Amino acid sequence: METRIQKAIEILSRSRLTVALTGAGISVESGIPPFRGPGSLWDKIDPMEFAHIDAFMKNPARVWEVLIGSMKTILDTARPNKGHLALAELEKRRLLATVITQNVDSLHQKAGSRDVIEFHGTFAKLTCLGCGHRTSSADITLTTLPPRCHCGGVYRPDCVFFGESIPLSALTRAQEFVSQCEVMLVVGTSATVQPAAMMPILAKQNNARIIEINPTPTPLTATSDLFLQGNAGPILTRLTEAIAIPAGP
Ligand code: OAD
């Protein structure tokens, strides 16, 4: 492991354009359960029944009750962990250009990351399906479900449900970085949900090096140049503390 860490430090130090792709695993150390694996969200509930746009449109009260309401309770109080803070620090030191995240929890921004591409949207904002009014998720209560706007319309979270497209601006920006980056740090994702899972594959096709951080191997691991097995917090902290200023052009 130590040799791999040293190799990662070397690759990151030399890179002129590094981007991160993060998934639910980076927020596990903040107390947010992942979607897959033991004790995960999709272990308890069927995503097709509760996280598909058709399910939401058919019965928003039920989806709010079972899925979105409980997410809100966890996300309202979740705090960024060392993994989020390490990525924010790398950006501050100009060693990381952006974080492409599949997460909707805003923890990268709360940690201080400025350039965050929210590939699956955000839970921080809700939009009224009636009049389009937007409000902060933190400002609404769960006393009556589904929560409604003053116009009577139902609020939906600004996250991507199954059956919906990736926001175009997020997809376009992510693809730009993917085509240009020299290194992609892939942190805490099962690399199973498309099109996010394609991003490291496309980066690799464009000659980028892939450094993957995860406690368990994923379908991406065989393609990754370096697999750092373990939790995001300690590994990212270790890399961030050791990394040097990149070499000039
Ligand atoms: P998953 O829940 O599928 O995968 C989480 C990954 O994090 C797994 O590979 C774990 O091994 C790893 N992991 C767990 N603890 C970790 C830790 N402390 N540090 C680092 N890694 C850890 O989450 P995603 O890949 O993000 O989509 O899932 C992708 C999408 O599937 C989500 O964005 C969501 C879901 O359905 C939508 O909501 C549209």
Side-chain angles (χ1 to χ4, degrees):
M1 181 66 170
E2 188 49 34
T3 319
R4 280 191 228 162
I5 293 270
Q6 289 307 326
K7 183 81 189 149
I9 291 166
E10 198 186 307
I11 293 173
L12 287 164
S13 302
R14 287 197 182 147
S15 169
R16 281 168 305 180
L17 186 64
T18 301
V19 305
L21 170 70
T22 65
I26 197 168
S27 295
V28 163
E29 290 157 72
S30 292
I32 302 175
F35 294 96
R36 293 170 189 80
S40 66
L41 199 56
W42 299 157
D43 236 16
K44 296 190 186 106
I45 62 169
D46 177 0
M48 288 308 129
E49 207 180 319
F50 294 103
H52 196 284
I53 187 61
D54 295 346
F56 182 80
M57 296 312 275
K58 204 167 151 198
N59 194 345
R62 185 140 186 269
V63 172
W64 265 100
E65 209 176 290
V66 177
L67 176 64
I68 313 174
S70 44
M71 266 177 76
K72 174 175 158 58
T73 309
I74 297 172
L75 298 191
D76 274 356
T77 52
R79 305 294 315 148
N81 64 56
K82 288 183 173 174
H84 300 107
L85 292 168
L87 291 183
E89 173 66 19
L90 285 178
E91 184 194 27
K92 203 166 135 200
R93 286 160 54 192
R94 296 174 185 270
L95 295 164
L96 183 71
T98 191
V99 179
I100 304 166
T101 188
Q102 295 164 85
N103 302 341
V104 297
D105 55 27
S106 306
L107 291 184
H108 286 300
Q109 292 92 329
K110 285 184 182 161
S113 284
R114 284 163 175 264
D115 199 318
V116 181
I117 300 175
E118 294 180 307
F119 209 74
H120 290 161
T122 177
F123 187 71
K125 292 279 178 194
L126 308 175
T127 298
C128 169
L129 291 174
C131 69
H133 177 256
R134 289 181 88 216
T135 191
S136 291
S137 163
D139 289 346
I140 60 124
T141 63
L142 299 173
T143 33
T144 319
L145 295 179
R148 287 180 188 273
C149 172
H150 47 73
C151 81
V154 169
Y155 276 124
R156 63 157 289 168
D158 285 359
C159 10
V160 174
F161 282 93
F162 282 102
E164 291 191 304
S165 315
I166 305 302
L168 190 61
S169 59
L171 187 62
T172 310
R173 272 202 92 220
Q175 281 169 339
E176 271 168 30
F177 279 109
V178 164
S179 66
Q180 289 166 18
C181 69
E182 290 186 1
V183 176
M184 182 177 275
L185 258 178
V186 182
V187 187
T189 175
S190 60
T192 50
V193 174
Q194 296 296 357
M198 270 310 285
M199 297 296 141
I201 308 286
L202 294 173
K204 175 99 182 175
Q205 282 169 4
N206 287 314
N207 299 318
R209 311 283 283 276
I210 309 299
I211 302 174
E212 187 184 12
I213 302 174
N214 200 307
T216 49
T218 71
L220 178 70
T221 306
T223 308
S224 297
D225 294 277
L226 266 181
F227 179 59
L228 305 178
Q229 187 156 21
N231 291 337
I235 294 180
L236 283 172
T237 305
R238 179 79 211 286
L239 295 179
T240 304
E241 281 170 1
I243 199 169
I245 301 298

